[in-house]
Amino acid sequence: MSKHADTHQRILEAAWHFFTEQGFNDTSTRQISAASNIAVGTLFNHFSDKVAILEACLDDKFNDVLERAKETDIHRPARLKINHYAQYFYQFYCLHHRFYKVLFSQRLFSQPFQQQHMELIQSLVFADQPQFNKVKAAILLDCYFMTLLYGLGAETPNTKLMLRTLSQKVSIF
């Protein structure tokens, strides 16, 4: 591992520790850099701000969930595939809802952020369906994301309720 990659990983590990122990708002970049044995300036050479660190931490954890979901994907119709992935993703989002509330409040209206997430779900759900209807696909994706956002907005997000809501929405397909 290169020195840059090693430093990057140390930052993520330290940040995740503090975020989970103290919360995002009560964690400072000074704490993260001190625990990573680097200067604060070095931390900002790796990440533009504290939200970018949180996003990288969540992406790192999310990738493990994504791999598990892919391994168990045996579904063909898009409505079943979207429910399959939602089981894994909604559970992860709910488990880390206080972090996703921060992340979404900062990044939700960013076109690159939206595009990245839309493309991921679209590639998972429609990859083996080369002749899918683009309008129906957009509606399914809207159902997925609106259910996610509405569910995470609850005082205590409920994965089962979110999945039930999504299943009801996509049952029309």
Side-chain angles (χ1 to χ4, degrees), residues 62 81-93 104 117-118 120-122 124-126 137-151 162-163 165-167 169-170 173:
F62 182 84
K81 285 179 97 57
I82 204 161
N83 280 322
H84 169 76
Y85 285 100
Q87 287 177 349
Y88 287 85
F89 299 166
Y90 285 2
Q91 183 177 12
F92 180 78
Y93 289 132
F104 288 166
H117 288 83
M118 292 292 278
L120 170 65
I121 299 299
Q122 188 170 357
L124 294 170
V125 175
F126 302 108
I139 294 169
L140 278 174
L141 292 173
D142 286 351
C143 290
Y144 172 86
F145 283 107
M146 290 310 298
T147 302
L148 171 62
L149 294 175
Y150 185 79
M162 291 166 64
L163 290 169
T165 301
L166 179 63
S167 291
K169 290 177 180 180
V170 301
F173 292 96

